[in-house]
Every structure is written in C-alpha cells, then in structure tokens.
Amino acid sequence: GNSVTQMEGPVTLSEEAFLTINCTYTATGYPSLFWYVQYPGEGLQLLLKATKADDKGSNKGFEATYRKETTSFHLEKGSVQVSDSAVYFCAPLSGGSNYKLTFGKGTLLTVNP
Amino acid sequence: DAGVIQSPRHEVTEMGQEVTLRCKPISGHNSLFWYRQTMMRGLELLIYFNNNVPIDDSGMPEDRFSAKMPNASFSTLKIQPSEPRDSAVYFCASSLGQGRGLEQYFGPGTRLTVT
C-alpha cells in the first residue's frame, strides 16, 4: 500500500522566515500529490496539488514540486505569516481502480510574531 | 455554496451507547469518504462510497462500526456499542468522483467523546 514520510514537527518559526516541510512517499502507479492544511478546530482543506512529474503546485505563497525521481513533494514558503500556523498534511492519491488518499502524520507549524 | 455538512459537531456519550454521525456531501459530488483522526493514529480512512455504493471498507476497525449511504445527499456512520477508544474526530469528505487529481472537500468534523 501507499505510505508517506513527513517531516516531524512541531516546527516553530518567526514571522517572515523561510519554511520547508519535507515529504516523501511510496505509492502504487502514478499518483497525484496533495498538500492539505488544517487550521485549529477545522477540517482539512486543500492547499495545493500536482498531478504529474515536474508539475509545481502553488497557492497562498506556498509551493511544492512533484519530483518523481526522488518520490518527494516538499512544501516551501518564502516568508511565513502568523496566519500560516496550522497542521500540514502531505497526501498521495493512488490511481487505478481505487482512488484513496494516504495522509502523512501531519506537521504542526507555529509562526510567532 | 454550502460545503460538506456534518452533525452533530460534538457528541459525548457513555460506553455501550449507540452513536450515529451524519454527513451531507456537496451537491453533485459522487464520492464520499469517512475518516477518523486521533493523536495516536493520525488520519485514517474508514470507508468510502462511489455513487452511493461502498467501494472500500477495509479501514472500518471492527463490526461495531457501520456506514450507509441511502441516497446521494446523506450518509451515516454508526458505532454500536461505543467504547472509550472510539473517542476521536470523525470527518466526512466528498469529491466529484474517482479520478486523477480530484480534490476531496472536508467537513468540519464531529468530535466524539465516549466516557
């Protein structure tokens, strides 16, 4: 089955710092890749996605590039804000006849003013 | 637009009682997913439906758990009898279907506490 290895948290940064959250995966077939974000007390929401190799997903200043050769999808942001404080989940979506998301354990990010 | 709607938002019950969680997916979405989130195990897929038919229930922990989707706009997850280890946040999510790159939209979750 699929699996995700995600950078262990918690990660604590100062406002305007650079963020990287590492994610590597194993998946059957040729997965689509997603980053979801969960703000306190809320459900998950899509942050960005990439559906094929070398695609770059981006949203709200966050970026991640689909690296098929290294099976990675690292999340980056050049300058974090306090409002980015949340839990971030990496998730490949396997294909074939059974489309299921496999979530990493999540990385808690806290951004201090 | 209304997103995925879940009820109740919070449920506190005693061990041995039946619990029913409810979900209304986004209109027009053909796939529905039930997840459970705990600190120990993270986010786990319990079951998912496509066009109201259960496709994969391999994540359902045991026979005490059951899920139904009687129509395209409603699903339930039932736990009978409930146990303290069932305490978790249960999320429902829906998507347009089963396809590459299709996003899942999550509801706000139901926080279940079994005492």
Side-chain angles (χ1 to χ4, degrees):
Chain A
N2 296 351
S3 67
V4 178
T5 301
Q6 193 174 330
M7 183 174 172
E8 292 279 339
V11 174
T12 303
L13 297 173
S14 297
E15 206 163 23
E16 299 184 2
F18 184 85
L19 169 70
T20 299
I21 301 178
N22 290 335
C23 171
T24 57
Y25 65 90
T26 59
T28 54
Y30 189 179
S32 302
L33 301 175
F34 296 79
W35 276 100
Y36 279 81
V37 59
Q38 185 177 27
Y39 298 102
E42 299 183 11
L44 280 72
Q45 54 186 273
L46 178 69
L47 179 61
L48 54 83
K49 68 179 182 183
T51 58
K52 60 183 189 294
D54 300 325
D55 266 3
K56 178 185 286 187
S58 61
N59 185 27
K60 300 181 181 179
F62 291 89
E63 294 182 339
T65 300
Y66 191 141
R67 299 293 186 198
K68 192 177 181 190
E69 65 277 12
T70 55
T71 62
S72 64
F73 194 52
H74 305 319
L75 183 67
E76 296 183 337
K77 186 173 185 181
S79 176
V80 293
Q81 306 300 312
V82 172
S83 57
D84 295 326
S85 298
V87 181
Y88 293 81
F89 293 90
C90 181
L93 176 68
S94 57
S97 60
N98 199 349
Y99 285 87
K100 298 201 297 186
L101 278 171
T102 301
F103 285 94
K105 292 188 180 299
T107 301
L108 173 63
L109 170 66
T110 302
V111 181
N112 295 318
Chain B
D1 285 342
V4 175
I5 299 172
Q6 291 187 247
S7 64
R9 292 294 309 275
H10 302 273
E11 177 79 38
V12 180
T13 191
E14 292 184 347
M15 182 174 63
Q17 296 298 305
E18 177 179 299
V19 176
T20 299
L21 311 182
R22 297 173 175 80
C23 175
K24 177 179 170 54
I26 293 172
S27 178
H29 282 192
N30 296 329
S31 296
L32 183 139
F33 307 81
W34 282 101
Y35 292 89
R36 177 172 68 176
Q37 186 177 39
T38 61
M39 289 294 291
M40 290 294 292
R41 300 175 68 90
L43 202 63
E44 305 171 279
L45 176 65
L46 300 178
I47 185 171
Y48 81 91
F49 297 83
N50 199 38
N51 294 320
N52 312 338
V53 175
I55 302 300
D56 187 338
D57 64 355
S58 59
M60 295 286 263
E62 48 198 276
D63 292 346
R64 298 185 297 106
F65 286 69
S66 62
K68 294 182 179 179
M69 191 164 186
N71 58 61
S73 59
F74 184 65
S75 177
T76 59
L77 178 67
K78 184 179 294 185
I79 308 172
Q80 166 63 19
S82 58
E83 297 183 2
R85 60 194 167 114
D86 302 330
S87 297
V89 181
Y90 291 81
F91 289 104
C92 176
S94 70
S95 70
L96 278 171
Q98 296 281 280
R100 188 169 185 77
L102 286 179
E103 172 185 355
Q104 291 182 21
Y105 294 79
F106 282 74
T110 295
R111 181 173 296 277
L112 173 66
T113 303
V114 183
T115 61

